[in-house]
Amino acid sequence: MKELIEYIAQALVDNPQEVDVQEIKAQQTLVLELRVAKEDLGKVIGKKGRTAQAMRTILSCASAKEQKRVILEIVE
């Protein structure tokens, strides 16, 4: 899951080397914290949050296979 979000985020931003994804694991939940450069934050979120919502939808589909809940948090 972490690699998937890193790949998508690096394709969206101008500074792909500053993309950082941290995993926080719980029993049935995995929280992914995505950090990007400040000037790239808008590109990752998108208009009205559409890009961020699309990334969350992809994660939801990928995590259903493993029967886990994955939460994506975009951190400033």
Side-chain angles (χ1 to χ4, degrees):
M1 302 294 166
K2 178 181 176 181
E3 294 82 17
L4 176 64
I5 292 299
E6 279 181 354
Y7 179 77
I8 294 170
Q10 287 175 350
L12 290 171
V13 299
D14 290 332
N15 301 317
Q17 67 277 6
E18 292 192 35
V19 172
D20 181 42
V21 179
Q22 299 293 323
E23 287 183 332
I24 302 170
K25 294 182 182 180
Q27 267 184 311
Q28 290 294 322
T29 305
L30 176 65
V31 178
L32 296 175
E33 290 184 346
L34 173 62
R35 288 183 173 80
V36 295
K38 204 157 192 106
E39 60 271 6
D40 290 330
L41 196 57
K43 292 179 182 176
V44 172
I45 295 173
K47 274 191 179 175
K48 296 184 182 179
R50 289 185 183 149
T51 305
Q53 188 59 42
M55 289 170 56
R56 289 183 176 113
T57 302
I58 292 169
L59 270 179
S60 175
C61 293
S63 67
K65 193 177 193 181
E66 297 179 15
Q67 296 181 351
K68 281 194 170 187
R69 183 168 183 236
V70 179
I71 299 170
L72 175 64
E73 292 182 357
I74 300 171
V75 183
E76 289 186 45

Coordinates of all heavy atoms in Angstrom, one line a residue:
M1 N 0.8 -1.2 0.0 CA 0.0 0.0 0.0 C 0.9 1.3 0.0 O 0.6 2.2 -0.7 CB -0.9 0.0 1.2 CG -1.8 -1.1 1.4 SD -3.0 -1.2 0.1 CE -3.6 -2.8 0.3
K2 N 1.9 1.2 0.8 CA 2.8 2.4 0.9 C 3.4 2.7 -0.4 O 3.5 3.9 -0.8 CB 3.9 2.1 2.0 CG 4.9 3.2 2.1 CD 5.9 2.8 3.2 CE 7.0 3.8 3.3 NZ 8.1 3.5 4.2
E3 N 3.9 1.7 -1.1 CA 4.6 1.9 -2.4 C 3.6 2.4 -3.4 O 3.9 3.2 -4.3 CB 5.2 0.6 -2.9 CG 6.3 0.1 -2.1 CD 5.9 -0.7 -0.8 OE1 4.7 -1.1 -0.8 OE2 6.7 -0.9 0.1
L4 N 2.3 2.0 -3.4 CA 1.3 2.5 -4.3 C 1.1 4.0 -4.1 O 1.1 4.7 -5.1 CB 0.0 1.7 -4.1 CG -1.2 2.1 -4.9 CD1 -1.0 1.9 -6.4 CD2 -2.4 1.4 -4.4
I5 N 0.9 4.4 -2.9 CA 0.7 5.8 -2.7 C 2.0 6.7 -3.0 O 1.8 7.7 -3.6 CB 0.3 6.1 -1.2 CG1 -1.1 5.5 -1.0 CG2 0.3 7.6 -0.8 CD1 -2.2 6.1 -1.8
E6 N 3.1 6.1 -2.7 CA 4.4 6.8 -3.1 C 4.4 7.0 -4.6 O 4.8 8.1 -5.1 CB 5.6 6.1 -2.6 CG 6.0 6.3 -1.2 CD 7.2 5.5 -0.8 OE1 7.7 4.7 -1.6 OE2 7.6 5.7 0.3
Y7 N 4.1 6.0 -5.4 CA 4.2 6.0 -6.8 C 3.2 7.0 -7.4 O 3.6 7.8 -8.3 CB 3.9 4.6 -7.4 CG 3.8 4.5 -8.9 CD1 5.0 4.5 -9.6 CD2 2.6 4.5 -9.6 CE1 5.0 4.5 -11.0 CE2 2.6 4.5 -11.0 CZ 3.8 4.4 -11.7 OH 3.8 4.4 -13.0
I8 N 2.0 7.0 -6.9 CA 1.0 8.0 -7.4 C 1.4 9.4 -7.0 O 1.3 10.3 -7.9 CB -0.4 7.6 -6.8 CG1 -0.9 6.3 -7.3 CG2 -1.4 8.7 -7.1 CD1 -2.1 5.8 -6.6
A9 N 1.8 9.6 -5.8 CA 2.2 11.0 -5.4 C 3.4 11.5 -6.1 O 3.4 12.7 -6.5 CB 2.4 11.0 -3.9
Q10 N 4.4 10.7 -6.4 CA 5.5 11.1 -7.1 C 5.2 11.5 -8.5 O 5.9 12.3 -9.1 CB 6.6 10.0 -7.1 CG 7.3 9.9 -5.7 CD 8.3 8.8 -5.6 OE1 8.3 7.9 -6.5 NE2 9.0 8.7 -4.5
A11 N 4.2 10.8 -9.1 CA 3.8 11.2 -10.5 C 3.1 12.5 -10.5 O 3.1 13.2 -11.6 CB 2.9 10.1 -11.0
L12 N 2.5 12.9 -9.4 CA 1.7 14.1 -9.4 C 2.5 15.4 -9.1 O 2.1 16.5 -9.6 CB 0.6 14.0 -8.3 CG -0.6 13.0 -8.6 CD1 -1.4 12.9 -7.4 CD2 -1.4 13.5 -9.8
V13 N 3.5 15.3 -8.3 CA 4.2 16.5 -7.8 C 5.4 16.9 -8.7 O 5.9 16.2 -9.5 CB 4.7 16.3 -6.3 CG1 3.5 16.0 -5.4 CG2 5.7 15.1 -6.2
D14 N 5.9 18.1 -8.4 CA 7.0 18.7 -9.1 C 8.3 18.2 -8.4 O 9.4 18.2 -9.0 CB 7.0 20.2 -9.1 CG 5.9 20.7 -10.0 OD1 5.6 20.0 -11.0 OD2 5.4 21.8 -9.8
N15 N 8.3 17.9 -7.1 CA 9.4 17.5 -6.3 C 9.2 16.1 -5.8 O 8.9 15.9 -4.6 CB 9.7 18.4 -5.1 CG 9.9 19.9 -5.5 OD1 10.6 20.1 -6.5 ND2 9.2 20.8 -4.9
P16 N 9.4 15.1 -6.7 CA 9.1 13.7 -6.2 C 10.1 13.2 -5.2 O 9.7 12.3 -4.4 CB 9.3 12.9 -7.5 CG 10.0 13.7 -8.5 CD 9.8 15.2 -8.1
Q17 N 11.2 13.8 -5.0 CA 12.2 13.3 -4.0 C 11.7 13.7 -2.6 O 12.2 13.2 -1.6 CB 13.6 13.9 -4.3 CG 13.8 15.3 -4.1 CD 13.4 16.1 -5.4 OE1 12.8 15.6 -6.4 NE2 13.6 17.4 -5.4
E18 N 10.8 14.7 -2.5 CA 10.3 15.1 -1.2 C 9.0 14.4 -0.7 O 8.4 14.7 0.3 CB 10.0 16.6 -1.2 CG 11.3 17.4 -1.3 CD 11.2 18.9 -1.0 OE1 10.3 19.2 -0.2 OE2 11.9 19.6 -1.7
V19 N 8.6 13.4 -1.5 CA 7.4 12.6 -1.1 C 7.8 11.6 0.0 O 8.8 10.9 -0.2 CB 6.8 11.8 -2.3 CG1 5.7 10.9 -1.9 CG2 6.3 12.8 -3.3
D20 N 7.1 11.6 1.1 CA 7.4 10.7 2.2 C 6.1 10.1 2.7 O 5.1 10.8 2.9 CB 8.1 11.4 3.3 CG 8.4 10.5 4.5 OD1 8.9 9.4 4.2 OD2 8.2 11.0 5.6
V21 N 6.0 8.7 2.8 CA 4.9 8.0 3.3 C 5.3 7.2 4.5 O 6.2 6.4 4.5 CB 4.3 7.1 2.2 CG1 3.0 6.4 2.8 CG2 3.9 7.9 1.0
Q22 N 4.6 7.4 5.6 CA 4.8 6.7 6.9 C 3.6 5.8 7.1 O 2.5 6.2 6.9 CB 5.0 7.7 8.0 CG 6.1 8.6 7.9 CD 7.5 7.9 7.9 OE1 7.6 7.0 8.7 NE2 8.4 8.4 7.1
E23 N 3.9 4.6 7.6 CA 2.9 3.6 8.0 C 2.7 3.6 9.5 O 3.7 3.5 10.2 CB 3.3 2.2 7.5 CG 3.2 2.0 6.0 CD 3.5 0.6 5.6 OE1 4.2 -0.1 6.4 OE2 3.0 0.1 4.6
I24 N 1.5 3.6 9.9 CA 1.1 3.4 11.3 C 0.1 2.2 11.3 O -1.0 2.3 10.8 CB 0.5 4.7 11.9 CG1 1.5 5.8 11.8 CG2 0.1 4.4 13.4 CD1 0.9 7.2 12.1
K25 N 0.6 1.1 12.0 CA -0.2 -0.1 12.0 C -1.0 -0.3 13.3 O -0.5 0.0 14.3 CB 0.6 -1.3 11.7 CG 1.3 -1.3 10.4 CD 2.1 -2.5 10.2 CE 2.8 -2.5 8.8 NZ 3.6 -3.6 8.5
A26 N -2.3 -0.7 13.1 CA -3.1 -1.1 14.2 C -3.6 -2.5 13.9 O -3.1 -3.2 13.0 CB -4.3 -0.2 14.4
Q27 N -4.5 -3.0 14.7 CA -5.0 -4.4 14.4 C -5.5 -4.6 13.0 O -5.0 -5.4 12.2 CB -6.1 -4.8 15.4 CG -5.5 -5.5 16.7 CD -6.6 -5.9 17.6 OE1 -7.5 -5.2 17.8 NE2 -6.6 -7.1 18.0
Q28 N -6.6 -4.0 12.7 CA -7.2 -4.2 11.4 C -7.2 -2.9 10.5 O -7.8 -2.8 9.5 CB -8.7 -4.6 11.5 CG -8.9 -6.0 12.0 CD -8.4 -7.1 11.1 OE1 -8.5 -6.9 9.9 NE2 -7.7 -8.1 11.6
T29 N -6.4 -1.9 11.0 CA -6.3 -0.6 10.3 C -4.9 -0.3 10.0 O -4.0 -0.5 10.8 CB -7.0 0.5 11.2 OG1 -8.3 0.0 11.5 CG2 -7.1 1.8 10.4
L30 N -4.7 0.3 8.9 CA -3.4 0.8 8.5 C -3.6 2.3 8.1 O -4.4 2.6 7.3 CB -2.8 0.1 7.3 CG -1.5 0.5 6.7 CD1 -0.4 0.3 7.7 CD2 -1.2 -0.2 5.4
V31 N -2.8 3.2 8.8 CA -2.9 4.6 8.5 C -1.6 5.0 7.7 O -0.5 4.7 8.2 CB -3.0 5.5 9.8 CG1 -3.0 6.9 9.5 CG2 -4.2 5.1 10.6
L32 N -1.8 5.6 6.6 CA -0.7 6.1 5.8 C -0.7 7.6 5.8 O -1.7 8.3 5.5 CB -0.9 5.6 4.3 CG -0.8 4.1 4.1 CD1 -1.1 3.8 2.6 CD2 0.5 3.6 4.4
E33 N 0.4 8.1 6.3 CA 0.6 9.6 6.4 C 1.5 10.0 5.2 O 2.6 9.6 5.1 CB 1.3 10.0 7.7 CG 0.4 9.8 8.9 CD 1.0 10.3 10.1 OE1 2.3 10.6 10.1 OE2 0.3 10.5 11.1
L34 N 0.9 10.9 4.3 CA 1.6 11.3 3.1 C 2.1 12.7 3.3 O 1.3 13.6 3.7 CB 0.6 11.3 1.9 CG 1.1 11.9 0.6 CD1 2.4 11.1 0.1 CD2 0.0 11.9 -0.4
R35 N 3.4 12.9 3.1 CA 4.0 14.3 3.2 C 4.6 14.6 1.9 O 5.3 13.8 1.3 CB 5.0 14.3 4.3 CG 4.5 14.3 5.7 CD 5.6 14.4 6.8 NE 5.1 14.5 8.1 CZ 4.6 13.5 8.9 NH1 4.7 12.3 8.4 NH2 4.2 13.7 10.1
V36 N 4.3 15.9 1.4 CA 4.9 16.4 0.2 C 5.4 17.8 0.5 O 5.1 18.4 1.5 CB 3.9 16.4 -1.0 CG1 3.5 15.0 -1.3 CG2 2.7 17.2 -0.7
A37 N 6.1 18.3 -0.5 CA 6.6 19.7 -0.3 C 5.4 20.7 -0.3 O 4.3 20.4 -0.8 CB 7.5 20.1 -1.5
K38 N 5.5 21.8 0.4 CA 4.4 22.7 0.6 C 3.8 23.2 -0.7 O 2.6 23.3 -0.8 CB 4.9 23.9 1.5 CG 3.8 24.6 2.2 CD 4.4 25.3 3.4 CE 3.3 25.8 4.3 NZ 3.2 25.0 5.5
E39 N 4.7 23.4 -1.7 CA 4.1 23.9 -2.9 C 3.4 22.9 -3.7 O 2.7 23.2 -4.7 CB 5.3 24.6 -3.8 CG 6.4 23.7 -4.1 CD 7.5 23.6 -3.1 OE1 7.4 24.3 -2.0 OE2 8.5 23.0 -3.4
D40 N 3.6 21.6 -3.4 CA 2.9 20.5 -4.1 C 1.7 20.0 -3.4 O 1.0 19.1 -3.9 CB 3.9 19.3 -4.2 CG 5.0 19.6 -5.2 OD1 4.8 20.4 -6.2 OD2 6.1 19.0 -5.0
L41 N 1.4 20.6 -2.3 CA 0.2 20.1 -1.5 C -1.1 20.2 -2.3 O -1.9 19.3 -2.3 CB 0.1 20.9 -0.2 CG -0.8 20.4 0.9 CD1 -0.3 19.0 1.3 CD2 -0.7 21.3 2.1
G42 N -1.3 21.3 -3.0 CA -2.5 21.5 -3.8 C -2.6 20.5 -4.9 O -3.7 20.1 -5.3
K43 N -1.5 20.1 -5.5 CA -1.6 19.1 -6.6 C -2.0 17.7 -6.0 O -2.7 17.0 -6.7 CB -0.2 19.0 -7.2 CG 0.2 20.2 -8.0 CD 1.5 20.1 -8.6 CE 1.8 21.4 -9.3 NZ 3.2 21.4 -9.9
V44 N -1.6 17.4 -4.8 CA -2.0 16.1 -4.2 C -3.4 16.1 -3.8 O -4.1 15.1 -3.9 CB -1.0 15.8 -3.1 CG1 -1.5 14.5 -2.3 CG2 0.4 15.5 -3.6
I45 N -3.9 17.2 -3.3 CA -5.3 17.3 -2.9 C -6.2 17.5 -4.1 O -7.3 16.8 -4.1 CB -5.5 18.5 -1.9 CG1 -4.7 18.2 -0.6 CG2 -6.9 18.7 -1.5 CD1 -4.6 19.3 0.4
G46 N -5.9 18.3 -5.0 CA -6.7 18.5 -6.2 C -7.9 19.4 -6.0 O -8.1 19.9 -4.8
K47 N -8.6 19.8 -7.0 CA -9.8 20.6 -6.9 C -10.9 20.0 -6.1 O -11.3 18.8 -6.4 CB -10.3 21.0 -8.3 CG -9.6 22.1 -9.0 CD -10.4 22.5 -10.2 CE -9.7 23.7 -10.9 NZ -10.4 24.1 -12.1
K48 N -11.3 20.7 -5.1 CA -12.4 20.2 -4.2 C -12.0 18.8 -3.6 O -12.9 18.0 -3.3 CB -13.7 20.1 -4.9 CG -14.2 21.5 -5.3 CD -15.6 21.4 -5.9 CE -16.1 22.7 -6.4 NZ -17.4 22.7 -7.0
G49 N -10.7 18.5 -3.5 CA -10.3 17.2 -2.9 C -10.5 16.0 -3.8 O -10.4 14.9 -3.3
R50 N -10.7 16.2 -5.1 CA -10.9 15.1 -6.0 C -9.8 14.1 -6.1 O -9.9 12.9 -6.2 CB -11.4 15.6 -7.3 CG -12.8 16.2 -7.3 CD -13.2 16.6 -8.7 NE -14.5 17.2 -8.6 CZ -15.0 18.1 -9.4 NH1 -14.2 18.5 -10.4 NH2 -16.2 18.7 -9.3
T51 N -8.6 14.7 -6.2 CA -7.4 13.8 -6.4 C -7.2 13.0 -5.1 O -6.9 11.8 -5.2 CB -6.1 14.6 -6.7 OG1 -6.4 15.4 -7.9 CG2 -4.9 13.8 -7.0
A52 N -7.3 13.6 -4.0 CA -7.1 12.9 -2.7 C -8.2 11.8 -2.6 O -7.9 10.7 -2.1 CB -7.2 13.9 -1.5
Q53 N -9.4 12.1 -2.9 CA -10.5 11.2 -2.9 C -10.3 10.0 -3.8 O -10.5 8.8 -3.5 CB -11.8 11.8 -3.2 CG -13.0 10.9 -2.9 CD -13.1 10.4 -1.5 OE1 -12.9 11.2 -0.5 NE2 -13.4 9.2 -1.3
A54 N -9.7 10.3 -5.0 CA -9.4 9.2 -5.9 C -8.3 8.3 -5.4 O -8.4 7.0 -5.5 CB -9.0 9.8 -7.2
M55 N -7.3 8.8 -4.7 CA -6.3 8.0 -4.1 C -6.8 7.2 -3.0 O -6.5 6.0 -2.8 CB -5.1 8.9 -3.6 CG -4.3 9.6 -4.7 SD -3.2 10.9 -4.1 CE -2.2 10.0 -2.9
R56 N -7.8 7.7 -2.2 CA -8.4 6.9 -1.1 C -9.3 5.8 -1.7 O -9.3 4.7 -1.1 CB -9.2 7.9 -0.2 CG -8.4 8.8 0.6 CD -9.2 9.7 1.5 NE -8.3 10.5 2.4 CZ -8.2 11.8 2.3 NH1 -8.9 12.5 1.4 NH2 -7.4 12.4 3.1
T57 N -9.9 6.1 -2.8 CA -10.7 5.0 -3.4 C -9.8 3.9 -3.9 O -10.2 2.7 -3.7 CB -11.5 5.6 -4.6 OG1 -12.4 6.7 -4.1 CG2 -12.4 4.5 -5.3
I58 N -8.7 4.2 -4.5 CA -7.8 3.2 -5.0 C -7.3 2.3 -3.8 O -7.2 1.1 -3.9 CB -6.6 3.8 -5.8 CG1 -7.1 4.4 -7.1 CG2 -5.5 2.8 -6.0 CD1 -6.1 5.2 -7.8
L59 N -7.0 3.0 -2.7 CA -6.5 2.3 -1.5 C -7.6 1.4 -1.0 O -7.3 0.3 -0.5 CB -6.1 3.3 -0.4 CG -4.7 3.8 -0.4 CD1 -4.4 4.8 0.7 CD2 -3.7 2.6 -0.3
S60 N -8.8 1.9 -1.0 CA -9.9 1.1 -0.5 C -10.1 -0.2 -1.3 O -10.3 -1.3 -0.7 CB -11.2 1.9 -0.5 OG -12.3 1.2 -0.1
C61 N -10.0 -0.1 -2.6 CA -10.1 -1.3 -3.4 C -8.9 -2.2 -3.2 O -9.1 -3.5 -3.2 CB -10.1 -0.9 -4.9 SG -11.6 0.0 -5.3
A62 N -7.7 -1.7 -3.1 CA -6.5 -2.5 -2.9 C -6.6 -3.2 -1.5 O -6.1 -4.3 -1.4 CB -5.3 -1.7 -3.1
S63 N -7.1 -2.5 -0.5 CA -7.1 -3.1 0.8 C -8.2 -4.1 1.1 O -8.1 -4.9 2.0 CB -7.2 -2.0 1.9 OG -8.4 -1.3 1.8
A64 N -9.2 -4.0 0.2 CA -10.3 -5.0 0.4 C -9.8 -6.4 0.2 O -10.3 -7.4 0.8 CB -11.4 -4.7 -0.6
K65 N -8.9 -6.6 -0.7 CA -8.3 -7.9 -0.9 C -7.6 -8.5 0.3 O -7.7 -9.7 0.6 CB -7.2 -7.7 -2.0 CG -6.7 -9.0 -2.7 CD -5.7 -8.6 -3.8 CE -5.4 -9.8 -4.6 NZ -4.5 -9.4 -5.7
E66 N -7.0 -7.6 1.1 CA -6.3 -8.1 2.4 C -7.2 -8.0 3.6 O -6.8 -8.3 4.7 CB -5.1 -7.2 2.6 CG -4.1 -7.4 1.5 CD -2.9 -6.5 1.8 OE1 -2.7 -6.0 2.9 OE2 -2.1 -6.3 0.8
Q67 N -8.5 -7.6 3.4 CA -9.5 -7.4 4.5 C -9.0 -6.5 5.6 O -9.1 -6.9 6.8 CB -9.9 -8.8 5.0 CG -10.6 -9.6 4.0 CD -11.0 -11.0 4.5 OE1 -10.6 -11.4 5.6 NE2 -11.8 -11.7 3.7
K68 N -8.4 -5.4 5.2 CA -7.9 -4.4 6.1 C -8.5 -3.1 5.8 O -8.9 -2.9 4.6 CB -6.4 -4.3 6.1 CG -5.6 -5.4 6.9 CD -4.2 -5.0 7.1 CE -3.5 -5.9 8.1 NZ -2.2 -5.5 8.4
R69 N -8.5 -2.2 6.7 CA -9.0 -0.8 6.5 C -7.7 0.1 6.4 O -6.9 0.0 7.2 CB -9.9 -0.4 7.6 CG -10.5 1.0 7.4 CD -11.6 1.3 8.4 NE -12.1 2.6 8.1 CZ -12.2 3.6 8.9 NH1 -11.8 3.4 10.2 NH2 -12.7 4.7 8.6
V70 N -7.7 0.8 5.3 CA -6.5 1.7 5.1 C -7.0 3.2 5.1 O -8.0 3.5 4.4 CB -5.8 1.4 3.8 CG1 -4.6 2.4 3.6 CG2 -5.3 0.0 3.8
I71 N -6.4 4.0 5.8 CA -6.8 5.4 5.9 C -5.6 6.2 5.4 O -4.4 6.0 5.8 CB -7.1 5.8 7.4 CG1 -8.2 5.0 7.9 CG2 -7.4 7.3 7.5 CD1 -8.5 5.2 9.4
L72 N -5.9 7.2 4.5 CA -4.8 8.1 3.9 C -5.0 9.4 4.6 O -6.1 10.0 4.5 CB -4.9 8.2 2.4 CG -4.0 9.2 1.7 CD1 -2.5 8.7 1.9 CD2 -4.3 9.3 0.3
E73 N -3.9 9.9 5.2 CA -3.9 11.3 5.8 C -2.8 12.0 5.0 O -1.7 11.6 4.9 CB -3.6 11.2 7.3 CG -4.7 10.6 8.1 CD -4.4 10.7 9.6 OE1 -3.3 11.1 10.0 OE2 -5.2 10.2 10.4
I74 N -3.2 13.2 4.5 CA -2.3 14.1 3.9 C -1.8 15.1 4.9 O -2.6 15.9 5.4 CB -2.9 14.7 2.6 CG1 -3.3 13.6 1.7 CG2 -1.9 15.7 2.0 CD1 -4.1 14.1 0.5
V75 N -0.6 15.1 5.3 CA 0.0 15.9 6.4 C 0.8 17.1 5.8 O 1.5 16.9 4.8 CB 0.9 15.1 7.3 CG1 1.4 15.9 8.4 CG2 0.1 13.9 7.8
E76 N 0.6 18.3 6.3 CA 1.3 19.4 5.9 C 2.7 19.4 6.4 O 3.0 19.0 7.4 CB 0.6 20.7 6.4 CG -0.7 21.0 5.6 CD -1.3 22.3 6.0 OE1 -0.5 23.3 6.1 OE2 -2.4 22.3 6.3

